Amino acid sequence: MTSTLPSWIWDGSKFVPATGLPLGDRGVRYGMALFESVAVRNGRPEFLTEHLLRLESSCKQLDWAVDPKAYNAVRKVLESYGDEPVFARIYQTAGDGGPHDRVDRPRLFIYAERRNPEGPKSVSVKTLPEPFLPLYKGFKTANYWPHLKALDEARQAGFNEGLLFNPEGELVSACMANVFVVHDGVLKTPGAEAGARRGVVREWVVHHCSVESAVITRKDLESVTECFLTNSWGGVIPVSNLDGRTLETKVAEGLRRAFLEHLSTAF
């Protein structure tokens, strides 16, 4: 279940209701936009500080202007949605201009929708054959069509999610999540050099476990004993089935319980 809620855009001094973006915005014309996804449950934006720091860091790496006052006003907007479970996206577009013009007046807006309170308890996953080329390695960009196309392919094959591989044959992520595996008894995850995004739940796992940032190939996946996904809405999501093969979920289930306990006390 999803349904859209009011959207907001920064006018230079405050967030105001928004119904769309100008057609000349480079986020619309060229997909030049960054985003962070934030789960809001019981009126509490989860990991909001971390999400905003990542958005700010990405903007600075791209030499995009940042308005600290706008970032400081985001929390109040997200809390205004009330106690219902909400999935919000904070977008920063390149604003108006040509593709090579300096980004000195970006647009910041918030888009939100209602969601079922909890993410999936486990999923089935398919390895996808087509090479996937990540844009701006490690950044969350608005160029999401390739992810959606890949997800549709996985679902048409009867799976919940798909695993993406870069042209070198290295595991990048799932279509809508980061990915971890237990391989040769070691918990591993793809690194940013392969194209993985530094999601906040991914970083939570990295800081709470001994995790190896590693190159993971299709051949490696044939012998993994566990696999799980992470994203802002589902948290830690065990993979019960990989390409038709049943996997163990002991490590993932333990991390999922620890993560839910963290959410219950941290925000």
Side-chain angles (χ1 to χ4, degrees):
M1 176 198 72
T2 63
S3 60
T4 303
L5 292 163
S7 297
W8 303 85
I9 193 164
W10 183 252
D11 72 355
S13 62
K14 62 185 181 302
F15 278 103
V16 297
T19 57
L21 293 175
L23 294 178
D25 188 284
R26 283 177 280 181
V28 175
R29 296 177 67 196
Y30 309 119
M32 293 173 65
L34 303 169
F35 76 91
E36 284 289 321
S37 300
V38 182
V40 185
R41 297 181 176 94
N42 301 313
R44 302 181 304 169
E46 297 169 0
F47 294 101
L48 180 58
T49 299
E50 291 85 350
H51 283 297
L52 291 174
L53 285 172
R54 293 186 188 286
L55 185 58
E56 179 181 18
S57 174
S58 296
C59 288
K60 288 182 176 179
Q61 289 181 62
L62 293 171
D63 198 26
W64 288 17
V66 171
D67 185 346
K69 184 178 179 182
Y71 282 28
N72 290 338
V74 168
R75 181 178 298 276
K76 186 176 180 180
V77 172
L78 297 183
E79 290 175 346
S80 74
Y81 289 119
D83 291 339
E84 62 183 328
V86 170
F87 187 64
R89 276 194 170 181
I90 307 164
Y91 284 93
Q92 184 143 345
T93 80
D96 298 332
H100 305 296
D101 291 344
R102 183 175 176 82
V103 180
D104 53 5
R105 293 191 177 184
R107 285 190 174 90
L108 188 72
F109 71 95
I110 298 171
Y111 180 87
E113 59 189 12
R114 297 180 181 89
R115 285 280 182 95
N116 289 325
E118 297 180 358
K121 290 185 170 58
S122 67
V123 292
S124 60
V125 171
K126 173 181 173 57
T127 56
L128 297 173
E130 292 296 323
F132 177 81
L133 183 62
L135 294 177
Y136 293 116
K137 291 185 178 182
F139 290 176
K140 293 184 178 180
T141 77
N143 295 278
Y144 234 54
W145 198 348
H147 297 77
L148 296 172
K149 183 176 180 296
L151 181 63
D152 185 59
E153 180 182 343
R155 289 181 175 176
Q156 287 190 27
F159 293 81
N160 303 119
E161 252 281 12
L163 297 183
L164 306 173
F165 296 79
N166 64 25
E168 289 73 37
E170 302 165 346
L171 180 62
V172 176
S173 66
C175 303
M176 299 291 175
N178 278 302
V179 59
F180 292 78
V181 300
V182 177
H183 183 247
D184 292 336
V186 178
L187 182 59
K188 302 178 181 181
T189 191
E193 62 277 4
R197 293 170 166 177
R198 295 186 176 93
V200 297
V201 184
R202 176 188 183 274
E203 295 304 293
W204 182 89
V205 173
V206 168
H207 284 105
H208 282 77
C209 300
S210 176
V211 180
E212 179 181 319
S213 178
V215 172
I216 301 167
T217 67
R218 295 179 187 273
K219 183 68 175 177
D220 293 333
L221 290 183
E222 294 176 4
S223 57
V224 303
T225 54
E226 285 205 37
C227 177
F228 61 87
L229 311 181
T230 61
N231 61 31
S232 293
W233 189 256
V236 178
I237 310 166
V239 172
S240 57
N241 182 293
L242 172 61
D243 287 333
R245 181 167 65 93
T246 300
L247 297 182
E248 300 174 10
T249 59
K250 182 178 179 180
V251 172
E253 292 288 356
L255 278 170
R256 181 178 175 86
R257 287 192 296 270
F259 182 75
L260 292 175
E261 183 178 345
H262 174 78
L263 291 184
S264 70
T265 59
F267 304 102

